[in-house]
Structure formats: structure tokens, C-alpha cells
Amino acid sequence: NTSSKDIENLPHLVITSSYQDAEKFQRAIEFFDSARNVYLLSSFDVSPYSGLEPKPQAVTDRLKFLHYAQNAKPRDIFVAPITALLQRSIPFSELSALSFKIKKDFEIGPDFQQQLGEMGYQSSPVVEDVGQYAIRGGIFDIFSPAHSMPVRIELFGDTVESLRSFSTLDQRSSEEIFNYLIIPAKEVVFNDDTLEELLKKFRES
């Protein structure tokens, strides 16, 4: 028999009728139990047929939700409006296959920038927002949707020597960290395989 304690220690998905209700529920949980991890699934704010891109924040929020849902820990709470759940997203298998951790002694390969580009990251002179990366000499800055701050990677040749989080406001590094998770910055990932499949389906239709 499953006890209430067993159920309490499982991850939970709460479905609401609207985004406003989801936000209220999230705030209530954070107020009464601040130790809980609570993740909110955003909806795309535009129709897929509108020809418009959804807001970058909505995309990164969804990717963060999907990543933590895929790696749910005991007592985590996931809050989702029904409209957000009904919207198509990146398959979990693809999200998992494209995600990786950077840590000390990690080797930055010659195709690393191309890999980031295929994952939806954009090159920028300075990293100021999620989904951007910047290169300056032996310094590689990246802001992954999986984290609340970007990482500054110091390289010796192509090898990672150290990782430090930094502020997007003043670009100052803070404490050293042991690893940094890179996940896709977009839910639709274009590479040679997906483009070939897209062209095949386009021709068939």
C-alpha cells in the first residue's frame, strides 16, 4: 500500500485552468514551503501560424521546466496551465541527448560553436541574456536556460581550467563553480538530420 508519506515524497504535477491560477498556486507554495522547488510551465504567447517568434523568456522558461521535469527530484512541484501542456515541445529524448555538462578539464572541440548554434544559442559581443555566448581570447561566456546566471569559462588552449558564474549587469565574476549544464536554447533544434526530415515531409505534403 502507498502511504501519504510515500506520495508526499514523489514529484508532483499540478494542472491549472489558466496561467494566472498557476502563478497564484506557485506563489502560495513558495510562501508556505520555501524549501520546495516549484517550476512553472509557460505558454507560447503567439500562434504557430502567426509567423511571429514567441518571446525569448517564454521559450527559456519552458526549456528550464522541461529539463527539471525530465530530472525531477523527490518533492519537486511542477505547475502547468492546461494550454501550456497542450503545446508541442522538444521530445524528452532529444532534450536529453543535446544536454551536457561543462566542468574542469572539459575539452572544447573545434565544432563547439557550431554545436551551440544548432542548439539555438546566438553569438554576441557580451552575454546579457539567456541563450547567448561570447568568446574573448581564452574566455568563453555562455548563458544556459538551465541556470539563473551565465558562466565564464577560462580556457588553457581548448581545455577548461575554471568556471565562474558572473553578473550580466556588471559582467563581474563571482564564485567558482564545479560544473555548468548546457541545454538547448530553443525547442526546435535545426541540424542536418532534422532539416533533412523536414524537407522530406514538406515534399510529401
Side-chain angles (χ1 to χ4, degrees), residues 6 11 26 47 57 66 72 79-80 100 107 111 115-116 120 127 139 146 153 159 164:
D6 292 332
Q26 181 190 36
S47 164
Q57 190 61 50
L66 292 169
V79 189
F100 59 93
E107 292 289 332
D111 60 344
Q115 182 181 2
L116 289 177
V127 169
I139 302 294
I153 303 168
T159 305
R164 293 182 180 275

Side-chain angles (χ1 to χ4, degrees), residues 98-102 106 108-124 127 130-135 139-145 151 153 155 180-186 188-191:
L98 291 171
S99 301
F100 59 93
K101 282 184 179 179
I102 294 179
F106 181 90
I108 301 290
D111 60 344
F112 188 62
Q113 290 184 62
Q114 179 183 344
Q115 182 181 2
L116 289 177
E118 290 177 351
M119 293 170 66
Y121 287 82
Q122 294 183 332
S123 176
S124 176
V127 169
V130 180
Q132 294 180 336
Y133 72 90
I135 306 171
I139 302 294
F140 209 131
D141 293 347
I142 310 175
F143 200 162
S144 167
V151 67
I153 303 168
L155 299 172
Y180 192 81
L181 180 65
I182 306 295
I183 67 172
K186 287 188 176 180
V188 179
V189 176
F190 289 111
N191 52 36

